[in-house]
Amino acid sequence: MTKSISRSSLWVVIGVALAFLTACDNNPYTPDDSSKKILYTWFREAPKTLDPAVAYTTSSHQFTGVIYPSMLEYHYLKRPYQLTPSLAKSVPAPEVLPNGYVRYRFDMREGAMFEKDLCFEELAGVEHREIVASDVVFQLKRVADPAINSPVVSVFSKIAGFDEFIKALTEARAADPDFSSRRIDQQYKEAGDIEGLKTPTPHTLEVTLKEPYPQILYWFTMQFTSPVPWEAVVYYDGQDGRDHLRDHPVGGGPYRMASYNKQFRVVLERNPDWWGASPAHRGAPGTVYPSEGEPGDKERGRLDPKYVGQPVPFIDRVEFRREKEAIPSFGKFLQGYFDLSGIIQESFDQVIKNDQLSEEMVEQGVRLEKSVSPDVFYIGFNMDDPMVGHAAGERGRKLRQAMSLVVDVEEFKRVFTNGRGVPAQSPVPPGVFGYEEDYQNPFRVVDKEKAKKKLEEAGYPGGVDPETGQPLRLTFDTADTTSRGLLQSQFYVRAWRTIGIDVEIKATNYNQFQEKVRNGAYQIFNWGWVADYPDAENFLFLLESGQARSVSDGPNTANFQYARYDALFKQMKTRANDETRLEIIREMKDILAEERPWIELFSRENYALYHGWMQNVKPFGMSVPFYKYWDIDPDLRTENRAAWNRPVLWPVYVLVALFFAILVPGIRTFYRERQ
Amino acid sequence: MVAYIIRRIGYGFLTVLGVLFFLFILFFAVTDPDDIARKAVGERAPPEVYEQWKRNKGYDKPLFVNTEHGWLSGGRYTDTLLVDHYTRMLTFQFGQSDADDALISKRIREGAGPSLMLTVPLFLSGMAVAVMVSLFVSFFRETYIDRMALVLCMLAMSVTILLYIIGGQYLIGKVLHWFPISGFDPDPTIVYKFLLLPILVGLVNGLGADVRFYRTVFVEETTKDYVRTARAKGAGEIRVMGNHVLRNALIPILTQIVVAIPFLFTGSLLLESFFGIPGLGSLTIDAIFGNDFATLRTMVYIGALLFVTGQILTDISYTLADPRIRLE
């Protein structure tokens, strides 16, 4: 009896152990793929939409940015950011027309094709077709279409006739219920042309603006202005089992969507029909690895002669795996199964020591790339408020100055961001023309004594309002109700309390916060701005009076209105980046420093980790994907993965031994007792 | 028996109707369709856009009674959210997701596979291991093995599944390199790799409670007269435990097991989410975080339906396991 139990259980245990040993392997990918040039990375949440007229998030741009071709693109290595041609043969120069309008003329490459897709076959009986200028016009009409709900309509309203088109389309739809059921390209055609968008030849696009707006060119690097085939919009309508365009991009960029499963995997593959891969365009900017960069690129191996001038892309496939949780995804990075990663809060101190990579990481060949994103986070004052705003005059200004003098960003970084972030001295962040590293805002240093003095001058000695005899009571409105957000709000409030000011936090949900902003019922708030494009105009306009929330519902939530600032802004916004422009920006910064509508906090700093087998990687700061310039050494990767992931099997033997150690004496005791 | 089953099904149906009404109150009366719309199209969208969205989804109808379109004007009083809600759910026409307009029924079909791949082996192996261990432990009742097992069970029960998940990922995935830390790939040659660790974690998580429960049942059985009779007839210990005791202890075990069977379809919320398995549990979590009310409603409804089914199945299984029980 004893024998049969232990013998059969022995076989079971041995069988399980053997099955286990053969199954033991933590490589999450198909084994054959390890020798291929595949980039492995991850996504947390599938983007809501990949429709290029709507998609406006980093999570969607990482796909759409390489699938849809654009007229222009950014130089990969040069900083400050520089525009280069792409689908357009050159970066167009503005041409001022007699009526004051400004025209840009894009000469497009000939023979550039859309990717092959079923929609062309179904609607036109061809595999794919050439990209022409009217495809860009079609896309811009989609941006205008109210039914699409594009987030950037106001930008393109600067195009002559854009608003008129919106009106005509809306009216046509309202007048005739059948109109909406017509094919979308027909609807756009019947709603009429946009006056400022002309295609004199199939490969020429003329864009006419009602006012000078040189920054429009940056918008031509984005997918809002990418050519989109009407066939795709018509065919992928989500009906009868067909995909929706928002889940089925049809572009013509360096990569195409090979598989889009929002639940667990997104795969991009090299697009064989990309215009940059055809011999006719070989060597054009954006089709080969750049030969110039900024100082330091050479030292960091980003101008390796092996790559300079070589046709891109180098990587054949980009695999995004879904990882909902940060801890497992970082674990897989450390095992070599993801090629790049951010740093999770939980492991920050393990990975970064004294702002440097830890020795352990360096040994693994991991590289750290820091980049500052062109954005700015700030505390704002509602300048319409009688207590802290314009109406309070000199008293209000001194109060704001005092409050600005006690908010310690370095301390904030230490507590909340693991020390990451660049303290902001003005709205203009690093990487943008007008940012000066050595500029010091006199009210963005921490000086409690000076703050107290300012407060006294403002008529609130020790923070006490002499009229009431009570400490000054202000409110801080925030839409961040998370515990972390509350802690951050408390951080500011505590700072102000050190000079005797009592600030109450009013945390509400985003809707209620918006409501308060709409009604002007707020005093102090915090907010951030992420640039659409790297130009000072895109930051300084946040304080221009025309953009004031209370005037035009614009993004100037501080409602700052200052005539001299507005005049300077007007001069600055249409100027090219020269010494005069810098002078103007300096004066604007001085006004803001003195007036204090904002307490500037910081620009975010990203720490990204890359494995040693990744080549040519340079963080960009904005959400523009550049996989086409990256390369991978698959042999090194395979070697490292094998070395880092040898299964540790001794615990199996220990467990088996333990099993018998418990079992055998038990059986013996049992039988002894029974007898 | 047939009459009883029909009656049970009738009660079950009423329960489901009640659940549907509760869902309706929660998702339409308590949650304002305006909020759903704003979440779906973006906080900053102009009013026309979310009005249009509500129309497309049918969320613009009145809740209970449609007074706008009386019979006289050719409309129906019943053209309301409540009626729509019941018709959709009862006919299994779940419609489209609020978050991205994907067909919910398609999502459910896609998610059921990975969920079942995880839950079925977990369920079967969990049951087998728990029964084996508890038979083993009750065989050695009142010895150090029994006491040790009890202590271990209590320990295992007191620990939250999150710790097992993170601990399992750390120890087995990260330190020992046995299996991938997380992930999924439907490729049949490698899919097992992704399932072993979550199954192991699920197994360990459920083992404590199951073993303790089964052990109690088995120990109670082993003291009964028929066990002594069997031994007296000369039946071996394996035969006594495996044949006589196990079969007689089936009733309480069945109660536990049959109720759980239907839920194999809904997957496991936490295991799927942490291990990145694209099943129905993961779908539900996504719906919660993505403000996808349509999907969430459907998943809660399906859960209720399965629960009721499980109850009925349990009752029926009693008569099969023990002919003495009559359902009346």
Side-chain angles (χ1 to χ4, degrees), chain A residues 27 262 332 511 648 674, chain B residues 43 100 173 178 182 193 237:
Chain A
N27 183 356
K262 291 193 241 186
K332 282 203 231 169
N511 275 347
V648 181
R674 277 197 67 186
Chain B
E43 308 270 2
D100 62 357
W178 290 354
S182 67
K193 281 198 228 175
E237 283 302 321

Side-chain angles (χ1 to χ4, degrees), chain A residues 267-404:
Chain A
V267 183
L268 301 176
E269 64 183 13
R270 189 194 276 267
N271 171 18
D273 301 308
W274 178 44
W275 63 267
S278 75
H281 305 294
R282 172 98 359 114
T287 69
V288 290
Y289 193 83
S291 54
E292 296 172 282
E294 69 170 334
D297 280 335
K298 216 181 181 100
E299 292 70 26
R300 296 213 62 138
R302 287 192 278 248
L303 284 169
D304 190 332
K306 196 170 100 190
Y307 289 107
V308 169
Q310 292 301 309
V312 296
F314 304 113
I315 291 174
D316 295 320
R317 187 144 49 106
V318 188
E319 293 235 7
F320 299 80
R321 300 294 170 123
R322 179 146 191 222
E323 291 287 345
K324 285 193 191 176
E325 303 293 332
I327 296 176
S329 68
F330 191 65
K332 282 203 231 169
F333 168 75
L334 293 180
Q335 293 181 331
Y337 293 123
F338 285 134
D339 296 320
L340 59 154
S341 174
I343 306 174
I344 55 172
Q345 195 89 24
E346 289 84 350
S347 300
F348 195 88
D349 295 333
Q350 192 194 328
V351 175
I352 304 290
K353 298 243 160 77
N354 302 325
D355 214 29
Q356 298 282 320
L357 267 187
S358 69
E359 260 172 53
E360 197 189 336
M361 290 287 118
V362 174
E363 256 167 49
Q364 279 204 328
V366 171
R367 277 198 313 260
L368 169 70
E369 295 283 356
K370 300 181 190 174
S371 64
V372 182
S373 32
D375 57 23
V376 60
F377 288 79
Y378 60 90
I379 295 171
F381 294 96
N382 178 9
M383 298 299 279
D384 284 351
D385 183 83
M387 187 84 145
V388 300
H390 291 299
E394 189 62 23
R395 283 187 88 185
R397 184 182 309 120
K398 295 236 156 99
L399 173 63
R400 296 192 298 273
Q401 289 172 344
M403 290 175 77
S404 177

